[in-house]
Every structure is written in C-alpha cells, then in structure tokens.
Amino acid sequence: MERIWIPGLASAATVRMSCSPEGPAVIALTGELDSHTAVVVEMAVATALARSRGIRAIVMDLAELTFLSVTGVQALHAAVDRAAAKGVTLRIALGPHSVAYRAMVTTGMIAVLDHYPDRHTAFAVADLRSVN
C-alpha cells in the first residue's frame, strides 16, 4: 500500500493518503480544514483518482480534524462531486470526535454527504457495494 503525504498550504492541515488497487483509497485529514487549507482536499482527491485507476470508492477519514469550517465542508462537497464525475463514491468517515459531525449538522451537509461513524464502517460499505 502506497502512502503519500501532501502538506497543506499552512501547517494547520495535513493529508495522509493510502492507495491500493485491491480496495478503496484512504485519505486521512488531520488538523484544521478551513479556507486556508481546503485546497488539500482537492489535491488529495485528484491524486487518489490519478493513482488508483479503477477504484470505486475513496474513504475520507475526518477523525483527526480539530476544526472544520463552512469552507472546509464546501471543499468536501466539491470533492464528492469530482469523484462522482469519475464514477467513484467518496465516503466520509466522521470518527469519534464531534468536530466534523457538528460542522456537517450545522451546515446541513449531514443530509447530503455519504457519511459513516468511522473508517471501518465506510470500508465495509465500500467493500459490499463493490461486490454487487
């Protein structure tokens, strides 16, 4: 499994990505996702799509986010659209912390984005759907 580190524009956000031809790509965000760092979401999804041709799902793990702004949520929505245009489903794993969940609820995006309580659940759903 290949691991790629993509630093954010500011030290407040970092992306860790694992791409494997056998399963979904995983993008794990840490730190703050706001107007200064939202570009890392776009970069990470573009990289995952380019490196993992033929994948059907990307799991984006937000468990380690310490802040998620409205701009960050908009970047996630744009990433979902970008992946969908390539026939890939972007699954959002919110994690045990409530930062990402609260931002999704506050913005109303909880009803729009394909979200899961953790990475393992998102993987399980991705695996089940890729079999069907």
Side-chain angles (χ1 to χ4, degrees), residues 29 33 41 45 58 60 62 65 68-84 88-94 100-117 122 129:
L29 302 176
L33 183 55
V41 172
V45 170
I58 296 172
M60 185 167 294
L62 305 182
L65 283 184
L68 179 57
S69 73
V70 172
T71 304
V73 173
Q74 291 169 339
L76 293 171
H77 189 253
V80 167
D81 291 344
R82 180 178 189 149
V88 176
T89 302
L90 182 64
R91 306 189 190 294
I92 308 291
L94 296 175
Y101 180 78
R102 278 195 317 265
M104 298 286 198
V105 169
T106 301
T107 60
M109 293 307 281
I110 197 79
V112 175
L113 297 179
D114 191 12
H115 67 281
Y116 299 87
R129 292 188 183 167

Side-chain angles (χ1 to χ4, degrees), residues 15-46:
V15 175
R16 182 177 181 192
M17 183 168 41
S18 301
C19 298
S20 170
E22 297 86 37
V26 178
I27 300 170
L29 302 176
T30 61
E32 299 177 3
L33 183 55
D34 57 20
S35 61
H36 299 289
T37 58
V39 70
V40 298
V41 172
E42 179 183 334
M43 291 169 46
V45 170

